[in-house]
């Protein structure tokens, strides 16, 4: 099978982010031949349509990194029952200027973890709505709503025993979804 390039977008800038740890653990569940990039989104300016004709270097870099990827992996917390602003900001930036949507057609997966019992379900649903508009085909099933608990990660940072099989199955389905679209 040919190599796959996946851009991983993490919706948290927090140093000790559980979602970044989840992203790190997901990357380790992929077989050889899958390469992951981690585009930064914390250095993007607040989106301003006035700048569409003159996008900041950080925005141009993000768009190049998205364009170079064959698939998108969104790993995000839920903020106030929706997508964190930094992630929405990145989605808006790389969707513009009109007609130059870098996300278009890239197959995606959406996953996340939160301390709340609903495990980012509302944020994921809002994100799916945005991705539908951006013309991003997004894996529908299986869904993965993960609540943070003491055993979510083991000492090495891998997914803990209780969730490992579930998360591995999600990752397998996600990678199969990407391959179906490339
Ligand atoms: C501004 C803000 C809003 C939050 N809103 C929610 C929420 O709607 N649902 C939820 O389950 N957790 C919510 N949380 C708690 C997050 O689940 C928790 O902070 C989590 O650790 C964030 O993910 P991270 O560790 O990847 O940064 C919120 C946290 C913050 C800072």
């Amino acid at each position: 099978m040919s190599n796959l390039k996946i851009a991983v977008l993490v919706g948290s800038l927090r140093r000790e982010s559980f979602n970044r740890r989840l992203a790190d653990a997901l990357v380790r569940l992929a077989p050889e031949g899958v390469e992951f990039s981690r585009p930064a989104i914390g250095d993007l300016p607040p989106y301003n349509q006035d700048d569409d004709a003159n996008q900041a270097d950080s925005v141009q870099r993000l768009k190049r990194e998205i364009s170079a990827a064959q698939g998108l992996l969104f790993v995000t917390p839920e903020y106030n029952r929706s997508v964190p602003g930094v992630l929405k900001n990145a989605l808006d930036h790389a969707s513009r200027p009109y007609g130059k949507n870098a996300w278009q057609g890239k197959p995606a997966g959406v996953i996340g973890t939160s301390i709340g019992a609903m495990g980012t379900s509302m944020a994921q649903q809002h994100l799916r709505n945005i991705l539908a508009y951006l013309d991003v085909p997004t894996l529908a099933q299986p869904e993965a709503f993960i609540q943070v608990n003491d055993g979510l990660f083991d000492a090495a940072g891998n997914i803990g025993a209780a969730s490992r099989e579930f998360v591995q199955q999600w990752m397998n389905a996600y990678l199969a979804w990407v391959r179906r679209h490339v």
Side-chain angles (χ1 to χ4, degrees), residues 10-14 16-20 76-82 113-120 148:
V10 176
S12 173
L13 305 181
R14 196 169 74 86
E16 301 298 325
S17 164
F18 294 119
N19 284 278
R20 190 171 315 106
T76 186
E78 178 172 287
Y79 278 2
N80 299 317
R81 294 285 179 259
S82 189
T113 188
S114 74
I115 56 176
M118 292 188 294
T120 73
V148 175

Side-chain angles (χ1 to χ4, degrees), residues 10-155:
V10 176
S12 173
L13 305 181
R14 196 169 74 86
R15 272 188 298 278
E16 301 298 325
S17 164
F18 294 119
N19 284 278
R20 190 171 315 106
R21 290 169 66 187
L22 177 59
D24 293 343
L26 284 166
V27 161
R28 285 190 229 128
L29 295 178
E32 277 189 28
V34 185
E35 277 173 44
F36 294 89
S37 65
R38 302 285 283 265
I41 61 172
D43 58 347
L44 304 172
Y47 177 76
N48 179 341
Q49 195 179 354
D50 290 340
D51 300 330
D52 271 6
N54 187 25
Q55 290 181 312
D57 290 348
S58 56
V59 176
Q60 293 181 37
R61 186 218 63 230
L62 173 68
K63 292 193 74 172
R64 276 196 305 276
E65 289 175 346
I66 300 305
S67 298
Q70 292 157 301
L72 309 169
L73 176 54
F74 291 91
V75 188
T76 186
E78 178 172 287
Y79 278 2
N80 299 317
R81 294 285 179 259
S82 189
V83 176
V86 284
L87 181 55
K88 181 62 163 59
N89 192 48
L91 288 159
D92 291 341
H93 269 300
S95 72
R96 292 278 153 167
Y98 184 77
K100 305 271 186 198
N101 169 14
W103 310 104
Q104 186 166 30
K106 310 265 179 195
V110 172
I111 192 168
T113 188
S114 74
I115 56 176
M118 292 188 294
T120 73
S121 61
M122 291 282 284
Q124 290 190 34
Q125 206 55 45
H126 284 195
L127 180 54
R128 286 177 184 281
N129 202 51
I130 298 161
L131 295 176
Y133 181 71
L134 294 175
D135 203 15
V136 171
T138 305
L139 177 71
Q141 295 290 345
E143 298 172 305
F145 308 131
I146 301 172
Q147 185 175 20
V148 175
N149 61 41
D150 286 345
L152 180 56
F153 303 104
D154 67 16

Side-chain angles (χ1 to χ4, degrees), residues 29 142 159-173:
L29 295 178
I159 301 294
S163 304
R164 196 170 302 151
E165 188 182 345
F166 171 75
V167 176
Q168 181 71 66
Q169 282 173 359
W170 186 89
M171 193 62 178
N172 294 349

